[in-house]
């Protein structure tokens, strides 16, 4: 490649990224899932489009799509809170195993009897579209104020169900007879077990190392975190396990490990996740040939209708039957089974394997994803309101705490941002009751910094600088988060910090007495006042 050609390529890529970034703004204002806009960019560039770029390398698309999916799963895992997802794990596991089996069977039967595809093609389509997409779920659901148990189940499901679906698609796309069902179940269980073990081990070792070894530059922490997550995928895949499950679990452990410079790491991962989504969807848009989609439009609509109206509700209600969940939540989860790039990427597997009719399979899946994402994505907030399961968006927000290790001084510097809805607003510095060995040393308010006194009242939007010794660093973070969630009487109310420990106990009397003294000092105690 010449220098001139390289310059043209870089210019084209930068223009595509700028257009894609602008598409994010359009997506957020219109409510449309961004994946549709990215696919549209790829279609506009590709065949039958403005530039008529001809790209038909399904194998390269599959490889790049897998790499992008690894980054997206890592970003999703880093943003998943363990305390929210822990109760959802049994339900998500059943949805990823029993639910996938139900969805594949019902959708394949619909494709065979209603569309007229042979059984191998029908089973491939049923397996391909049975995987909910992590990128779609993470990007859409986090904009909807939902109870933690619902988002936990759906996010965990999107991280878990890739493994069994990939195994089924590969098995159905292999030449010769399909293996017996009990062999497939054994393979799925083994791969999930290996992937889970590898992901948990890599995540724990990585978090332990990053917490105890101070890197020479803060910019290395985000790179190290993403490298650890990606290595979990590689290790899981090389061990013949589920690399997708491994990367998701390892990233989830890293995301809940209170690592140094966490906000910077989270922002870096978020940017990589957006870049992976943009590249993956644009490439998938390039791969499709629009004029070939017309003949497969109505078959895709029929298969999608079976999937959305019959297969997905059966999958949810059968899998979640052991759990006492309200029917409204099950109905919402039935509608929230979002499909995205993952089914389209999996549809390239039969193309690479040379399965007869694989191009038609790809076209049906492509149209199905576009049509039903266009319908389901924007209607999720409305559905949550109709079913009356939407949470109050004005709930107390979690604090943003960034930690910078001071290795030689055996201490930590915590940067605490007080969000708008935090209950730390109105609390005095002295009422924080930080452990011995921790102190608020600086407050930044409206662009000005000052050293606070114990009676300084904190406000929303403040940024605090907290110095803590190494032994009490975790306790300090837990206390700060507890006050952010429960206010000055956090211990008395039994509010827990992010570590899950109940902070009520021997300090209850001290909390109450201290708060009453502070209230009296400000003239806020209950009862009549004497006016002079």
């Amino acid at each position: 490649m010449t220098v001139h050609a390289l310059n043209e390529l870089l210019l084209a890529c930068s223009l595509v990224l700028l257009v894609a970034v602008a598409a994010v703004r359009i997506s957020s204002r219109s409510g449309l899932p961004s994946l549709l806009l990215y696919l549209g960019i790829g279609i506009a560039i590709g065949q039958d489009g403005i530039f008529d770029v001809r790209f038909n390398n399904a194998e390269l698309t599959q490889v790049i799509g897998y790499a992008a999916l690894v980054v997206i799963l890592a970003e999703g895992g880093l943003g998943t809170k363990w305390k929210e997802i822990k109760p959802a794990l049994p339900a998500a596991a059943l949805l990823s195993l029993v639910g996938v089996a139900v969805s594949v069977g019902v959708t394949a039967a619909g494709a065979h009897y209603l569309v007229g595809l042979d059984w191998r093609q029908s089973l491939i389509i049923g397996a391909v579209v049975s995987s909910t997409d992590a990128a779609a779920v993470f990007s859409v659901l986090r904009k909807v104020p939902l109870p933690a148990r619902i988002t936990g189940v759906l996010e965990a499901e999107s991280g878990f169900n890739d493994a069994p679906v990939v195994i089924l698609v590969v098995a159905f796309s292999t030449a010769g007879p399909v293996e017996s069902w009990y062999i497939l179940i054994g393979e799925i269980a083994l791969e999930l077990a290996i992937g889970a073990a590898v992901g948990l081990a890599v995540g724990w070792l990585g978090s332990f190392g990053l917490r105890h070894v101070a890197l020479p530059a803060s910019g290395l922490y985000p790179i190290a975190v993403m490298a650890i997550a990606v290595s979990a995928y590689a290790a899981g895949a090389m061990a013949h396990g589920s690399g997708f499950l491994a990367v998701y679990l390892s990233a989830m452990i890293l995301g809940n490990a209170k690592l140094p410079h966490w906000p910077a790491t989270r922002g870096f991962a978020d940017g990589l996740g957006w870049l992976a989504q943009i590249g993956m969807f644009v490439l998938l848009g390039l791969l499709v040939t629009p004029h070939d989609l017309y003949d497969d439009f109505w078959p895709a609509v029929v298969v999608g209708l079976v999937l959305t109206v019959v297969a997905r509700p059966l999958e949810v209600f059968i899998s979640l039957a052991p759990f006492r969940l309200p029917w409204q939540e099950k109905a919402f989860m039935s509608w929230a089974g979002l499909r995205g790039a993952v089914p389209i990427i999996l549809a390239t597997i039969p193309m690479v394997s040379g399965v007869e009719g694989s191009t038609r399979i790809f076209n049906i899946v492509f149209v199905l994803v576009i049509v039903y994402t266009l319908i389901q994505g924007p209607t999720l907030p409305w559905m949550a309101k109709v079913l009356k399961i939407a949470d109050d968006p004005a709930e107390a927000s979690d604090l943003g705490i960034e930690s910078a290790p001071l290795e030689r001084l055996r201490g930590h510097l915590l940067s605490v941002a007080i969000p708008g809805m935090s209950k730390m607003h109105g609390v005095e510095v002295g009422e924080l009751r930080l452990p011995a060995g921790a102190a608020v040393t600086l407050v930044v308010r409206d662009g000005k910094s000052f050293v606070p006194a114990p009676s300084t009242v904190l406000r929303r939007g403040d940024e605090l600088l907290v110095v803590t010794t190494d032994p009490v660093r975790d306790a300090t973070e837990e206390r700060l988060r507890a006050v952010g969630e429960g206010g000055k009487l956090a211990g008395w109310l039994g509010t827990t910090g992010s570590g899950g420990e109940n902070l009520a106990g021997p300090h209850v009397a001290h909390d109450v007495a201290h708060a009453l003294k502070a209230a009296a000092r400000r003239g806020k105690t209950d009862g009549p006042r004497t006016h002079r």
Side-chain angles (χ1 to χ4, degrees):
M1 178 182 291
T2 64
V3 174
H4 181 70
L6 178 62
N7 292 338
E8 290 183 343
L9 178 62
L10 291 176
L11 177 61
C13 291
S14 61
L15 289 175
V16 169
L17 285 176
L18 288 174
V19 173
V21 170
V24 175
R25 180 63 175 172
I26 298 173
S27 171
S28 62
R29 295 178 69 91
S30 65
L32 290 174
S34 56
L35 68 91
L36 295 180
L37 298 176
Y38 302 150
L39 284 172
I41 293 172
I43 294 173
I45 296 173
Q47 295 187 53
D48 300 340
I50 300 173
F51 299 101
D52 197 27
V53 176
R54 298 185 178 274
F55 178 80
N56 57 4
N57 193 331
E59 187 173 2
L60 177 61
T61 303
Q62 181 181 326
V63 171
I64 295 177
Y66 273 35
L69 183 58
V70 168
V71 175
I72 292 169
L73 283 171
E75 189 274 330
L78 291 174
T80 300
K81 296 181 180 180
W82 172 246
K83 64 180 180 181
E84 294 181 0
I85 202 174
K86 182 181 178 181
L89 290 180
L94 283 179
L95 275 175
S96 302
L97 296 174
V98 178
V100 165
V102 172
S103 180
V104 171
V106 174
T107 307
H112 178 71
Y113 291 111
L114 299 179
V115 179
L117 300 177
D118 63 46
W119 274 113
R120 181 180 290 273
Q121 294 172 349
S122 300
L123 287 170
I124 291 173
I125 288 182
V128 164
V129 299
S130 293
S131 174
T132 55
D133 184 68
V137 170
F138 294 146
S139 63
V140 175
L141 285 186
R142 290 180 182 177
K143 300 176 184 177
V144 183
L146 295 171
R149 61 180 173 273
I150 295 180
T151 56
V153 170
L154 292 173
E155 290 186 7
E157 179 198 9
S158 68
F160 292 172
N161 63 12
D162 291 328
V165 167
V166 169
I167 295 171
L168 291 176
V169 174
V170 171
F172 296 150
S173 301
T174 303
V178 179
E179 293 180 329
S180 300
W181 63 270
Y182 53 86
I183 296 178
L184 289 177
I185 292 177
E187 289 181 0
I188 291 172
L190 181 60
E191 288 202 14
L192 288 176
I194 295 174
V198 171
L200 293 174
V202 172
W204 185 85
L205 290 173
S207 62
F208 180 83
L210 289 176
R211 284 171 61 86
H212 291 83
V213 177
L215 298 178
S218 61
L220 293 176
Y221 283 91
I223 298 174
V225 168
M226 292 303 297
I228 292 170
V230 173
S231 67
Y233 170 83
M238 291 177 66
H240 302 288
S242 171
F244 294 128
L245 181 59
V247 67
Y248 181 73
L249 290 179
S250 65
M252 186 171 63
I253 291 177
L254 291 168
N256 289 271
K258 304 175 187 176
L259 300 178
H261 303 288
W262 179 243
T265 300
R266 191 73 187 90
F268 179 78
D270 191 43
L272 280 184
W274 278 110
L275 185 62
Q277 288 188 54
I278 292 170
M280 179 172 59
F281 291 130
V282 170
L283 191 62
L284 291 173
L286 280 172
L287 184 64
V288 73
T289 305
H291 67 260
D292 290 340
L293 300 178
Y294 300 132
D295 294 337
D296 297 315
F297 179 82
W298 289 113
V301 171
V302 171
V303 173
L305 194 62
V306 173
L307 171 68
T308 306
V309 179
V310 182
R312 176 65 181 181
L314 282 176
E315 169 188 354
V316 171
F317 278 84
I318 291 176
S319 300
L320 301 183
F323 306 94
R324 295 181 178 179
L325 296 177
W327 70 267
Q328 294 93 335
E329 295 186 5
K330 294 180 181 178
F332 181 84
M333 285 189 273
S334 299
W335 188 246
L338 299 176
R339 271 72 189 176
V342 173
I344 303 177
I345 293 172
L346 296 180
T348 62
I349 294 177
M351 296 178 70
V352 175
S353 302
V355 174
E356 183 180 355
S358 58
T359 301
R360 190 183 186 195
I361 293 173
F362 181 85
N363 291 340
I364 289 175
V365 172
F366 191 91
V367 173
L368 185 155
V369 167
I370 290 180
V371 171
Y372 286 92
T373 302
L374 187 61
I375 295 173
Q376 290 176 275
T379 57
L380 281 177
W382 172 82
M383 183 68 72
K385 291 180 181 178
V386 169
L387 295 174
K388 298 180 179 179
I389 59 173
D391 270 351
D392 182 5
E395 284 188 349
S397 304
D398 194 12
L399 294 176
I401 301 179
E402 179 173 1
S403 172
L406 307 174
E407 187 177 32
R408 289 187 303 166
L409 303 180
R410 298 184 60 79
H412 293 268
L413 195 61
L414 305 182
S415 175
V416 183
I418 303 179
M421 303 308 299
S422 174
K423 292 185 179 180
M424 192 177 286
H425 174 78
V427 176
E428 292 185 3
V429 170
E431 293 171 336
L432 292 176
R433 286 201 57 253
L434 299 179
V440 180
T441 58
L442 198 69
V443 175
V444 180
R445 177 178 296 164
D446 299 328
K448 298 180 180 180
S449 58
F450 59 91
V451 177
S455 59
T456 299
V457 179
L458 302 176
R459 300 178 184 173
R460 57 178 61 95
D462 285 355
E463 294 185 22
L464 317 180
L465 210 59
V466 181
V467 176
T468 170
T469 58
D470 190 62
V472 299
R473 174 243 172 125
D474 290 344
T476 302
E477 283 199 25
E478 289 173 0
R479 179 61 189 173
L480 288 170
R481 294 187 190 277
V483 176
E485 296 172 5
K488 66 185 71 176
L489 297 182
W492 179 57
L493 296 173
T495 307
T496 57
S498 61
E501 296 182 18
N502 193 318
L503 297 178
H507 303 296
V508 169
H510 190 286
D511 274 339
V512 175
H514 192 79
L516 291 176
K517 288 179 182 178
R521 221 171 27 242
R522 297 195 300 270
K524 293 184 179 179
T525 50
D526 293 335
R529 297 182 181 180
T530 302
H531 297 278
R532 298 181 180 177

